């Protein structure tokens, strides 16, 4: 989901949320797996199976809200089931086959990864929960296309989107910092999607996208470009960190779904450019034409040409609009300087970089 929004102060800010597909799973009938139990336990297992089927149905329907609601019902029951089978011998668990597809790595379109470990079920349910929160944020961002950016409803929608992204970041951070380290031996055999590096990327990605809403809101309220430059540099730094992790090795980068890898790389360049654009606007407002033009040219420097991919079409369009806008501004300011101010424009990159506040 991507919008290239003009604020009430005529500043433009690209608002984008990468939309992942939800991981797919197959049905599990727990009462047919754990058979040597009493009748009340069988009924409990049937209830858990029914609730899990609701999760599967919601995922298959690609309903983010229904997936969130069903997972909030299923996860407490799953944790209770795990506690109940902890003492069972390993052989007793062999009949359990839990399958989930991956969504960040290139194995997303291959067969589901199968495991007899409930840890795999918990990890993928939490990843699905985090992805559904992100997906719901994306749905709400699409709805914003129908609203005026100056309306109270739009302002409330932006707050809701930011809250959903921050909540998703918290889910992925819990996986990275708590659940996965506690289950390191089991997690090491799982696909990359269930590794700490990917969860760190997903957490930082969600926070970075939420911060872009802060920049938009600040620009709408007339916040100074120099202050917005710092927040934009925060955003750029987070995307750059995600990119660094994903490119930490050739093997790792080759496993990542290519459009997602490109999205992170482009966002890193885009927001570094925006941070310089904000500085340029600050210098221009002060009448410092030479510095303003030097900064706007530096902003253009970061925006390289990227090949359009169908899955990133809206995002690439927003990226191109930003680049075209910068070129128009640079041409206008250069003409203005050549006819009125006659300030020297430095050809060296000797201006201080935007300070990152993280």
């Amino acid at each position: 989901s991507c919008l290239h929004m003009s604020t009430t102060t005529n500043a433009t800010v690209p608002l984008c949320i990468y939309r992942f597909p939800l991981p797919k799973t197959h049905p599990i009938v727990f009462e047919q797996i754990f058979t040597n139990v009493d009748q009340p336990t069988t009924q409990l297992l049937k209830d858990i199976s029914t609730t899990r089927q609701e999760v599967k149905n919601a995922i298959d329907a690609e309903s983010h809200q229904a997936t969130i609601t069903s997972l909030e019902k299923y996860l407490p029951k799953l944790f209770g089931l795990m506690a109940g089978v902890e003492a069972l011998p390993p052989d007793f668990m062999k009949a359990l086959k839990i399958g989930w597809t991956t969504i960040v790595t290139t194995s997303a379109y291959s067969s589901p990864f199968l495991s007899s470990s409930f840890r795999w079920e918990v990890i993928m349910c939490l990843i699905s929960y985090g992805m559904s929160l992100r997906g719901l944020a994306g749905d709400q961002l699409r709805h914003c296309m129908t609203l005026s950016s100056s309306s109270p409803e739009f302002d409330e929608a932006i707050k809701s989107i930011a809250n959903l992204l921050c909540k998703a970041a918290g889910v992925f951070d819990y996986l990275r910092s708590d659940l996965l380290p506690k289950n390191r031996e089991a997690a090491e055999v799982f696909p990359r999607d269930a590794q700490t590096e990917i969860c760190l990327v997903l957490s930082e990605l969600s926070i970075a996208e939420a911060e872009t809403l802060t920049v938009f809101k600040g620009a709408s309220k007339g916040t100074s470009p120099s202050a917005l430059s710092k927040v934009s540099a925060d955003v750029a730094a987070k995307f750059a960190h995600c990119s660094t992790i994903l490119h930490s090795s050739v093997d790792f980068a080759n496993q990542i779904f290519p459009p997602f890898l490109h999205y992170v790389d482009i966002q890193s360049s885009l927001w570094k450019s925006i941070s310089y654009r904000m500085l340029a606007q600050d210098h221009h407002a002060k009448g410092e034409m030479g510095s303003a033009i030097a900064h706007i040219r530096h902003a253009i420097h970061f925006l390289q040409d990227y090949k359009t991919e169908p899955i990133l079409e809206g995002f690439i369009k927003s990226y191109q609009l930003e680049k075209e806008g910068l070129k128009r501004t640079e041409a206008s300011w250069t003409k203005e300087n050549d006819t009125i101010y006659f300030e020297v424009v430095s050809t060296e990159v000797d201006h201080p970089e935007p300070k990152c506040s993280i």
Side-chain angles (χ1 to χ4, degrees):
S1 297
C2 197
L3 296 175
H4 198 83
M5 296 298 301
S6 293
T7 70
T8 51
T9 57
N10 294 321
T12 56
V13 179
L15 303 179
C16 301
I17 299 173
Y18 187 88
R19 294 176 68 89
F20 292 95
L22 293 178
K24 303 296 184 183
T25 187
H26 59 238
I28 298 178
V29 185
F30 290 112
E31 66 272 20
Q32 294 180 5
I33 297 170
F34 304 109
T35 53
N36 296 324
V37 294
D38 56 27
Q39 186 59 30
T41 303
T42 299
Q43 286 303 120
L44 180 61
L45 290 171
K46 285 182 178 179
D47 177 59
I48 297 172
S49 298
T50 300
T51 308
R52 190 185 189 279
Q53 184 61 37
E54 291 173 5
V55 173
K56 183 183 183 304
N57 292 343
I59 289 174
D60 290 345
E62 297 183 358
S63 171
H64 298 115
Q65 183 59 68
T67 302
I68 291 167
T69 302
S70 58
L71 280 168
E72 287 175 348
K73 287 173 56 181
Y74 174 60
L75 279 166
K77 296 178 181 181
L78 174 61
F79 285 124
L81 177 60
M82 288 176 65
V85 301
E86 267 184 357
L88 294 176
D91 287 349
F92 198 81
M93 302 293 292
K94 283 184 177 178
L96 181 65
K97 297 296 179 186
I98 301 170
W100 286 89
T101 59
T102 57
I103 52 176
V104 180
T105 55
T106 50
S107 56
Y109 297 101
S110 63
S111 301
F113 179 83
L114 295 173
S115 174
S116 60
S117 171
F118 273 119
R119 294 184 183 90
W120 174 236
E121 176 80 346
V122 171
I123 290 167
M124 289 308 297
C125 281
L126 287 172
I127 287 176
S128 300
Y129 188 69
M131 290 302 188
S132 295
L133 290 167
R134 286 182 51 82
L136 188 57
D139 294 340
Q140 292 186 9
L141 184 60
R142 279 185 173 180
H143 175 62
C144 285
M145 295 178 187
T146 65
L147 305 175
S148 167
S149 61
S150 59
S151 68
E153 189 180 355
F154 185 90
D155 196 43
E156 287 302 311
I158 290 295
K159 289 179 185 177
S160 176
I161 294 167
N163 287 335
L164 287 166
L165 289 170
C166 289
K167 191 174 180 181
V171 173
F172 296 126
D173 190 60
Y174 167 70
L175 281 161
R176 176 197 68 83
S177 62
D178 191 286
L179 190 62
L180 290 174
K182 285 180 180 177
N183 299 280
R184 188 175 301 278
E185 283 188 23
E188 284 178 354
V189 303
F190 297 152
R192 281 284 193 184
D193 284 45
Q195 303 285 325
T196 56
E197 298 93 336
I198 290 295
C199 289
L200 174 58
V201 166
L202 294 174
S203 179
E204 291 218 8
L205 172 75
S206 300
I207 291 295
E209 290 169 338
E211 279 192 355
T212 66
L213 302 172
T214 303
V215 176
F216 176 85
K217 202 169 179 187
S220 297
K221 302 294 183 183
T223 303
S224 70
S226 60
L228 293 176
S229 175
K230 293 179 181 179
V231 184
S232 299
D234 275 355
V235 175
K238 286 183 173 65
F239 280 123
H241 188 211
C242 292
S243 181
T244 298
I245 294 169
L246 295 176
H247 288 283
S248 58
S249 72
V250 174
D251 178 61
F252 193 8
N254 286 341
Q255 292 182 51
I256 306 301
F257 189 44
F260 175 55
L261 193 64
H262 296 159
Y263 172 80
V264 172
D265 292 343
I266 296 170
Q267 282 281 44
S268 175
S269 299
L270 175 61
W271 279 92
K272 192 155 190 178
S273 174
I274 289 172
S275 69
Y276 274 93
R277 186 243 287 173
M278 298 289 187
L279 281 181
Q281 290 169 339
D282 187 57
H283 283 291
H284 185 264
K286 295 174 182 176
E288 299 167 351
M289 292 301 295
S291 294
I293 294 169
H295 276 88
I296 206 77
R297 288 176 180 173
H298 203 47
I300 294 170
H301 166 75
F302 285 107
L303 299 184
Q304 306 300 316
D305 291 325
Y306 283 93
K307 182 181 177 181
T308 302
E309 299 180 57
I311 198 170
L312 294 178
E313 185 176 354
F315 173 57
I316 295 294
K317 182 180 179 181
S318 181
Y319 178 87
Q320 290 170 340
L321 285 172
E322 176 69 19
K323 186 174 183 178
E324 290 165 7
L326 287 175
K327 287 182 174 180
R328 286 194 301 270
T329 300
E330 189 273 338
S332 174
W333 289 0
T334 298
K335 182 178 179 180
E336 186 179 359
N337 188 50
D338 290 345
T339 56
I340 301 174
Y341 295 96
F342 306 104
E343 286 194 14
V344 174
V345 179
S346 174
T347 56
E348 301 294 328
V349 185
D350 56 355
H351 304 280
E353 291 203 0
K355 292 183 178 179
C356 179
S357 61
I358 58 173

